[in-house]
Amino acid sequence: MESAALSRIGLAGLAVMGQNLALNIAEKGFPISVYNRTTSKVDETLDRASDEGKLPVAGQYSPRDFVLSIQRPRSVIILVKAGAPVDQTISALSEYMEPGDCIIDGGNEWYQNTERRIVEAEKKGLLYLGMGVSGGEEGARNGPSLMPGGSFTAYNNVKDILEKVAAQVEDGPCVTYIGEGGSGNFVKMVHNGIEYGDMQLISEAYDVLKNVGGLSNDELAEIFTEWNRGELESFLVEITSDIFRVKDDYGDGELVDKILDKTGMKGTGKWTVQQAAELSVAAPTIAASLDCRYLSGLKDERENAARVLEEAGLKEDIGSASRGVDKKRLIDDVRQALYASKICSYAQGMNLLRAKSLEKGWDLNLGEMARIWKGGCIIRAVFLDRIKKAYLRNPNLANLVVDPDFAKEMVQRQAAWRRVVGLAISAGISTPGMCASLAYFDTYRRARLPANLVQAQRDLFGAHTYERTDRPGAYHTEWTKLARKSQ
């Protein structure tokens, strides 16, 4: 009788994401208790629960009442700002929790913080999950992609809930047990890094089509709608077509043209690039997208640079580059360039996941990562199914670009890719993401690189030694002495 009156799960932290996830859980038939330090948020959530179908949501107004309202073993999701607020919330709730209860952090947390909290929770007999949640507000309400890592027992305690709440695709719910430790947070971080790359590449496609192709927002909306029916079908391409259609309420034209060109960020892209550097994994597309966000923030400096360089004689060459352009061919070339560039970006993200998995012993299933990103999340795209199949064919695949299917597509698209990058460079339009992806492809596919010269330089000034192609061992040469003798 008592357990029947208790909630199946709890959620603390009722900003929009928290409210939406709580209502999603309740709508799937799981009674849920909710708590927020600001009590008005609890009332707001209860009002929404009533308005959206008399959903089984119980509001609690103190940490003690909240914890005690949940069935044992208790599972509590917290959705508060990463960092100190998470520790404060854990401290407030764990005071009333018992051994075997579980805390699930659904925020964008640094994976090492999750690993620290797992150890701290274990000392109290508590279980812990760090769970990446992707899909924004809409995903939280209607079906996100979920990436839980940490205690496998804790995952099994809530598996039935997570599988119902997650986005649903043809091969299952968009959730899986990721692995031990902070693996769930790390996978979500890399997801966000790929998202940075995706958004940058789409913005470059827009820039080329608009400024070299001379296309209007109406034409761009139609192009992106058409692209979303083919190999580029994805959430980001779909919403981009919608963005071009929205009119400005304060004047003529479309709203997109009135938005200040400064990009914000929350930090996960920077973490991704830092981790890539620490693990010696090349991630140039993701790094280029991060650099572009930094440069976008220098709005005043960029405007000043434009003036100074114009006075120094620099002339915009976009007009001459766009003259005589075959629009139909340009549109198709940009489509192919965008697709090939995106494959490189996803390849970089997957290689970063594999490298971290090897370092930490997480045993990540890269095919499963691609599968759970097929729905609910920001980077969901039709070709994720093909990425999943590539790793099913070969779990030890070194790089997506050498999967036989993707290799053919990269080769077929490289001519269009090079035309777009070349045209953009001629016009003075920066395409750092596409250029980084193309450079990554060109570097990775070459059997011999000019790194031999770099090694010779390192040996000359630092006696770092080098290896030879024709015999084993490490060698050092007195380069300067021999060079002068030869003169």
Side-chain angles (χ1 to χ4, degrees):
M1 289 289 292
E2 184 191 15
S3 65
L6 295 176
S7 294
R8 175 72 171 77
I9 193 168
L11 190 147
L14 297 172
V16 178
M17 278 287 288
Q19 286 186 25
N20 283 0
L21 188 59
L23 295 172
N24 183 355
I25 291 168
E27 193 171 61
K28 298 304 187 295
F30 301 101
I32 183 169
S33 291
V34 296
Y35 166 73
N36 197 84
R37 201 168 57 175
T38 306
T39 57
S40 60
K41 290 290 185 185
V42 178
D43 296 332
E44 195 178 301
T45 308
L46 294 176
D47 289 342
R48 285 189 62 191
S50 177
D51 293 343
E52 295 180 26
K54 294 188 167 47
L55 302 175
V57 177
Q60 304 296 336
Y61 296 89
S62 74
R64 179 181 181 279
D65 290 346
F66 171 64
V67 171
L68 297 181
S69 72
I70 303 164
Q71 291 177 23
R72 295 186 182 93
R74 302 179 181 93
S75 296
V76 174
I77 299 171
I78 56 176
L79 270 170
V80 298
K81 190 176 179 183
V86 176
D87 290 310
Q88 290 159 8
T89 305
I90 290 170
S91 177
L93 299 179
S94 62
E95 191 176 335
Y96 306 101
M97 298 178 81
E98 300 172 356
D101 290 351
C102 173
I103 295 167
I104 305 166
D105 177 17
N108 274 336
E109 187 56 270
W110 175 235
Y111 84 98
Q112 289 181 341
N113 284 342
T114 294
E115 299 197 327
R116 166 179 60 80
R117 290 174 187 138
I118 287 171
V119 173
E120 291 170 355
E122 282 175 351
K123 291 175 183 173
K124 300 178 181 178
L126 302 178
L127 308 178
Y128 199 92
L129 282 176
M131 183 171 72
V133 180
S134 179
E137 297 169 11
E138 184 186 340
R141 182 66 183 86
N142 300 309
S145 175
L146 300 172
M147 296 154 250
S151 165
F152 187 61
T153 302
Y155 173 72
N156 278 332
N157 288 347
V158 291
K159 182 180 177 184
D160 59 332
I161 299 176
L162 300 183
E163 288 186 345
K164 284 277 181 64
V165 164
Q168 307 293 315
V169 292
E170 72 280 356
D171 49 1
C174 292
V175 60
T176 192
Y177 175 69
I178 300 295
E180 296 178 351
S183 60
N185 295 115
F186 193 90
V187 168
K188 174 58 164 58
M189 176 199 78
V190 173
H191 163 287
N192 285 22
I194 294 171
E195 179 186 311
Y196 271 51
D198 252 7
M199 295 171 76
Q200 177 63 30
L201 292 167
I202 289 170
S203 75
E204 291 173 17
Y206 153 66
D207 201 8
V208 171
L209 291 173
K210 178 182 178 181
N211 289 305
V212 177
L215 299 175
S216 67
N217 289 328
D218 286 341
E219 289 173 309
L220 289 164
E222 290 302 319
I223 288 162
F224 276 83
T225 299
E226 182 62 32
W227 285 355
N228 198 48
R229 297 190 187 109
E231 64 189 10
L232 286 172
E233 181 188 330
S234 62
F235 173 72
L236 286 169
V237 168
E238 178 187 346
I239 66 168
T240 301
S241 68
D242 290 339
I243 286 168
F244 291 128
R245 298 181 198 279
V246 176
K247 301 294 181 186
D248 180 20
D249 285 343
Y250 296 99
D252 297 332
E254 287 75 35
L255 178 57
V256 67
D257 294 327
K258 309 292 171 60
I259 296 176
L260 185 68
D261 53 324
K262 285 174 70 171
T263 309
M265 67 191 93
K266 294 282 182 72
T268 46
K270 181 170 77 172
W271 292 347
T272 305
V273 173
Q274 287 172 333
Q275 281 294 295
E278 286 193 17
L279 291 162
S280 301
V281 173
T285 311
I286 299 170
S289 69
L290 183 65
D291 287 340
C292 281
R293 293 199 182 195
Y294 293 149
L295 284 165
S296 78
L298 305 176
K299 177 66 172 174
D300 293 342
E301 288 184 38
R302 288 187 288 112
E303 288 181 338
N304 183 58
R307 281 193 300 270
V308 170
L309 292 169
E310 186 179 356
E311 288 167 7
L314 181 68
K315 291 183 173 61
E316 288 279 6
D317 204 23
I318 293 174
S320 63
S322 62
R323 278 195 294 275
V325 166
D326 181 334
K327 282 191 185 182
K328 190 173 180 183
R329 184 183 182 187
L330 177 66
I331 292 165
D332 192 58
D333 279 356
V334 172
R335 174 186 61 79
Q336 294 187 65
L338 178 56
Y339 183 83
S341 296
K342 279 163 67 79
I343 295 301
C344 288
S345 184
Y346 280 71
Q348 293 160 30
M350 289 299 189
N351 285 356
L352 177 53
L353 289 179
R354 184 179 57 207
K356 195 67 176 181
S357 179
L358 287 170
E359 181 195 70
K360 301 288 286 185
W362 286 338
D363 195 25
L364 295 183
N365 182 329
L366 299 184
E368 267 291 273
M369 301 307 101
R371 187 193 68 77
I372 65 169
W373 290 342
K374 283 168 58 178
C377 70
I378 303 301
I379 65 169
R380 62 183 182 264
V382 70
F383 68 55
L384 277 161
D385 190 57
R386 301 185 49 233
I387 293 176
K388 180 195 83 169
K389 288 172 181 171
Y391 285 109
L392 283 176
R393 281 192 293 272
N394 181 4
N396 298 313
L397 184 66
N399 194 298
L400 280 176
V401 303
V402 295
D403 170 75
D405 286 0
F406 282 121
K408 283 178 196 164
E409 294 192 335
M410 300 297 278
V411 171
Q412 289 164 359
R413 284 158 180 75
Q414 67 163 338
W417 198 3
R418 295 180 197 284
R419 282 195 296 270
V420 170
V421 168
L423 193 60
I425 290 170
S426 298
I429 292 173
S430 61
T431 50
M434 287 187 183
C435 286
S437 284
L438 183 56
Y440 177 80
F441 174 72
D442 280 340
T443 304
Y444 189 72
R445 69 176 177 79
R446 290 187 66 193
R448 184 162 173 83
L449 293 170
N452 55 317
L453 179 58
V454 175
Q455 270 307 94
Q457 292 169 335
R458 293 180 73 240
D459 187 51
L460 185 151
F461 65 68
H464 293 294
T465 75
Y466 58 89
E467 294 176 83
R468 293 179 59 105
T469 59
D470 55 353
R471 60 192 66 192
Y475 295 84
H476 169 61
T477 295
E478 296 291 336
W479 297 91
T480 304
K481 187 189 297 182
L482 290 172
R484 286 175 182 161
K485 190 183 289 185
S486 71
Q487 287 175 340

